[in-house]
Amino acid sequence: VDVFQAWCGPCKAAVDLFRTIRNEVGGDLLHFAVAEVDSIDALEKYRGKSEPVFLLYAGGKLVAVVRGANAPLLQKTILEQL
């Protein structure tokens, strides 16, 4: 989940990365979503941050958090979790 604030929008660079990984591993294993923190109370702790935050879930549980637009770290974390 790409967590973002309305004033900065979702991380567009991450969309391409997710597409690439999804094509490599298959569409059933990886799903991408965006969530605006200002409209979701459960994400309140991520408000006021200027960096993107990526929340990785498996089986309905949060398994990893990647802060910042660090594509190599994000890709590594996703592949490790898969």
Side-chain angles (χ1 to χ4, degrees):
V1 178
D2 179 358
V3 176
F4 70 96
Q5 293 192 135
W7 56 268
C8 63
C11 183
K12 292 182 174 114
V15 174
D16 290 335
L17 175 63
F18 279 101
R19 278 191 191 128
T20 300
I21 295 171
R22 189 172 182 181
N23 287 338
E24 290 174 3
V25 300
D28 293 338
L29 294 175
L30 181 64
H31 301 278
F32 178 70
V34 294
E36 182 183 344
V37 299
D38 297 321
S39 62
I40 302 172
D41 290 338
L43 298 175
E44 182 178 10
K45 69 181 177 179
Y46 300 106
R47 291 179 188 156
K49 310 291 186 216
S50 62
E51 66 183 1
V53 176
F54 300 94
L55 307 177
L56 283 71
Y57 288 87
K61 296 184 182 187
L62 182 65
V63 295
V65 177
V66 176
R67 297 179 188 278
N70 183 337
L73 176 60
L74 183 57
Q75 182 173 9
K76 178 181 182 252
T77 305
I78 290 169
L79 293 174
E80 286 174 353
Q81 294 303 320
L82 289 174

